[in-house]
Amino acid sequence: MSARPGHPPRTRSVGPAPTPAATPAGYAPLRTRGERLALRIHLRTAAACTAMALGLAGMSVLALTVGDFPLTPGEVAATLIGRGSPGHDFIVYTLRMPRLLTALFVGAALAVSGAILQRLSGNPLGSPDIIGFTNGAATGALVVIVLIGGSMLQVAAGALVGGVAAAVLIYLLAFTRGAGGRFILVGIGIAAMALAANSYLITRASLQDAMAAQAWLVGSLNAAGTEQAAAVGLALAVLLPVAVSHGRALSLLSMGDDAAKGLGVGAERSRLVLIAVSVVLAAIATAATGPILFVALAAPQLARRLTRSPGPGLVAAALMGALLLLVSDIAVQRLFTGAALPVGTATGLIGGLYLVGLLITEWRRGRG
C-alpha cells in the first residue's frame, strides 16, 4: 500500500521480543508443558523440606520397629503389604500405627496453626497455646469431664467448642476495630482466664474426675487410636490446602491491612478464613490428645530459620511440627520405659527452654 502525498508511510515498529522475567537468585523455575502452570521454587526451602521428609520417614520406621516387641524393618514391610503374621499385624496396625499417625497429624496441625497466627500477629509468641486457643479447648473438655461425665467423643466435642469460643472472643476484642496489635495481649488475657476456670473446675471435681482431667491436661499419645488419627488427618487434609491457597494473603497481611488492601487482598475476609483454619486445627489436635504445649510455638520458628524463606512456610512448618512431636514421643517411650510418660512432658521441657531463649533474644533486639 502506497502512502498518500504529504503523509509519511505507515510503518510497524518491530522491537525486540519480550523476554521472560529473570528468576531471582535462590529460586528455580518450574513450568509445565505449554506453560499452563509456572512456579518459582525456593531452592533452600525445597532442600529443607526434602531433608525433613526423609527424617520423618526414618523416624517412622524406628517408631514401628522398636518397643517391647521389637520388629525388623523387613517384618514391618511384610506386614504393611499384607504378608505379616497375625501377631505382627496386631503390633503394627493396632498398637503402633495409630500412635504414629496421630503424632504426625497432631504435630503438623499444631505447627500450621502456630505458623498462621505468628504470621498474622507479626510476633513469634503468636501461638495457640500462648494466646488462649488451647486453654479454651481445655476448658471445654474439662466442662464435659467434670460437670457432665461424658464419653471421649463428647470430650473431644467439648474441646472443639471451647477452642472456637475462645477464638471468637479474642477476635471480637482484638480485631473488630482494626486493632490487630492487641491480638497477643488479648489472647494472653483470655488464656489466663481460661486457666483460672480450668483450675476451678478441677477443685470442684471428684477425686476420680480430677485425676482423669489432670491426666488429659498433660497431653498424651498413650491412648491414641484410629479414631483420633482419622479425625486429625481429615481436618489436616481439608484445611491445609485452604491455608496454602491463602499464602499470598497471609504474607501481605503481615505487612498491614492498608498494604494488603492496596494489593487487592480482602483483609478482613482473608484474616477471618485464616484464623478459622488455625483455630479448628488447634482445637481438633487438642481434642485428640489433650493440650500438647510449645509445638505450635517452636515448629514454625525452627522451620523458618531452616528454610530462610520469605513466604509463610506452612508446609515446612507442618513437616517440622510432625518431626518434633514424633521424636519427642519416641524419646519418652524409650528413655522412660517403665513410667509411660505422656509426650506433653517432653514438649513442655524442650519448649520451655526454647521459650526462655526466644524471650532473651527478643529482649536483646528490643534493647538494640
Side-chain angles (χ1 to χ4, degrees):
M1 180 180 293
S2 62
R4 290 182 296 175
H7 291 79
R10 292 182 180 179
T11 58
R12 176 179 294 178
S13 61
V14 179
T19 57
T23 303
Y27 287 82
L30 178 63
R31 299 185 179 91
T32 60
R33 179 172 295 179
E35 297 193 356
R36 292 183 177 179
L37 177 64
L39 298 173
R40 287 187 306 188
I41 304 298
H42 190 251
L43 295 176
R44 187 181 176 96
T45 299
C49 289
T50 302
M52 286 188 285
L54 292 175
L56 273 176
M59 296 307 298
S60 297
V61 172
L62 182 65
L64 292 175
T65 53
V66 300
D68 294 336
F69 302 97
L71 300 176
T72 65
E75 291 172 334
V76 171
T79 303
L80 293 178
I81 62 176
R83 296 182 179 178
S85 66
H88 292 171
D89 288 347
F90 176 77
I91 293 172
V92 172
Y93 287 114
T94 304
L95 299 182
R96 296 177 184 172
M97 185 65 77
R99 183 170 185 148
L100 166 65
L101 294 179
T102 304
L104 296 178
F105 296 153
V106 168
L110 291 175
V112 172
S113 175
I116 293 174
L117 291 181
Q118 289 176 6
R119 198 76 178 186
L120 284 177
S121 63
N123 193 315
L125 292 176
S127 170
D129 46 1
I130 297 292
I131 63 173
F133 293 177
T134 304
N135 283 342
T139 303
L142 287 179
V143 167
V144 176
I145 294 174
V146 175
L147 301 182
I148 302 176
S151 63
M152 288 304 298
L153 182 61
Q154 292 171 323
V155 171
L160 182 60
V161 171
V164 172
V168 170
L169 188 58
I170 294 171
Y171 184 86
L172 292 177
L173 292 175
F175 285 117
T176 50
R177 295 181 182 177
R182 297 185 300 181
F183 186 62
I184 300 296
L185 293 178
V186 171
I188 291 175
I190 298 298
M193 294 171 62
L195 187 61
N198 296 345
S199 300
Y200 174 76
L201 287 171
I202 291 179
T203 61
R204 302 297 299 175
S206 64
L207 178 60
Q208 183 178 0
D209 288 341
M211 292 177 63
Q214 194 62 46
W216 187 85
L217 284 174
V218 178
S220 174
L221 291 167
N222 293 336
T226 306
E227 296 82 4
Q228 287 84 354
V232 185
L234 179 61
L236 200 61
V238 173
L239 296 178
L240 181 58
V242 175
V244 172
S245 68
H246 283 74
R248 177 176 176 272
L250 184 57
S251 297
L252 295 178
L253 283 172
S254 64
M255 300 165 59
D257 284 9
D258 293 337
K261 291 176 181 176
L263 294 172
V265 172
E268 291 296 333
R269 183 182 63 81
S270 298
R271 181 186 293 112
L272 189 59
V273 170
L274 288 166
I275 289 181
V277 169
S278 174
V279 170
V280 174
L281 285 177
I284 289 181
T286 303
T289 60
I292 296 178
L293 302 179
F294 294 115
V295 173
L297 174 71
Q301 292 295 315
L302 293 175
R304 194 171 182 180
R305 284 171 168 76
L306 190 61
T307 61
R308 298 179 185 174
S309 170
L314 297 179
V315 174
L319 291 171
M320 179 60 76
L323 187 59
L324 280 180
L325 192 54
L326 181 57
V327 171
S328 299
D329 188 44
I330 293 175
V332 296
Q333 287 186 71
R334 303 315 307 161
L335 296 179
F336 306 95
T337 53
L341 286 179
V343 69
T345 56
T347 61
L349 176 62
I350 298 172
L353 296 174
Y354 176 81
L355 181 59
V356 170
L358 178 63
L359 292 175
I360 292 175
T361 303
E362 293 297 317
W363 176 72
R364 287 177 176 172
R365 287 179 179 173
R367 292 197 64 181

